[in-house]
Amino acid sequence: MRRTKEHPEVNAGSMADIAFLLLIFFLVTAVIPKDQGIYRKLPKECPPGEDCNIPIPDRNILKIAINSKNEVMMDDKIVKVAEVKDIARTFIDNNGDGSCTYCNGSKIATLSDNPSKAIISLQSDRNANYNQFIEVQDELTKAYFELRKAYCDNVLKRPLDKLTKLELQEVKDAYPFILSEAETRTH
């Protein structure tokens, strides 16, 4: 008689269960990074037949540029990123034409007429660091947030987190975030 060697069998069923449990464990415990970026509403296209190249008075444009050395320039002066918020706030809330009843500005002749006319022009050199660009955007967002919060406290007499949709729109209309990353032309 011939003897046949029997090969031992490995029970693979429990290994598949363990692999499945490990897969579930890693899927549940893995940290998924949040998307980074800037939430902005893009402007609508210019309707056909209309001229959308409206000249803007130079005093209503706050020019910010980031050069290839990651230096931030505001109105031809190099500033620190930490200074951007305060300079932008002063520019936006200026009330140069006196028509803003809620503004606290100093009515400086070289700064914006009022918040609805204040435009921030942000340009970046293509060799500039993206993080520097984001930091400047964050400072501008902080400036608008502080102005809008002050509007809520002083005009609406309500905290920012307790506003109705109508009141929230009123706050956004009082301090509209007008940011241009395009080349600006002045007259």
Side-chain angles (χ1 to χ4, degrees), residues 48-63:
E50 286 189 33
D51 182 21
C52 292
N53 294 323
I54 302 166
I56 302 165
D58 197 36
R59 76 178 281 174
N60 287 328
I61 301 174
L62 177 62
K63 296 175 186 160

Side-chain angles (χ1 to χ4, degrees), residues 3 20 22 32 57 73 86 89-90 105 115-116 127 161 187:
R3 283 185 143 198
F20 182 70
L22 285 172
I32 299 171
M73 299 179 69
D86 293 330
R89 239 185 106 152
T90 303
S116 64
N127 294 321
D161 59 340
H187 74 281

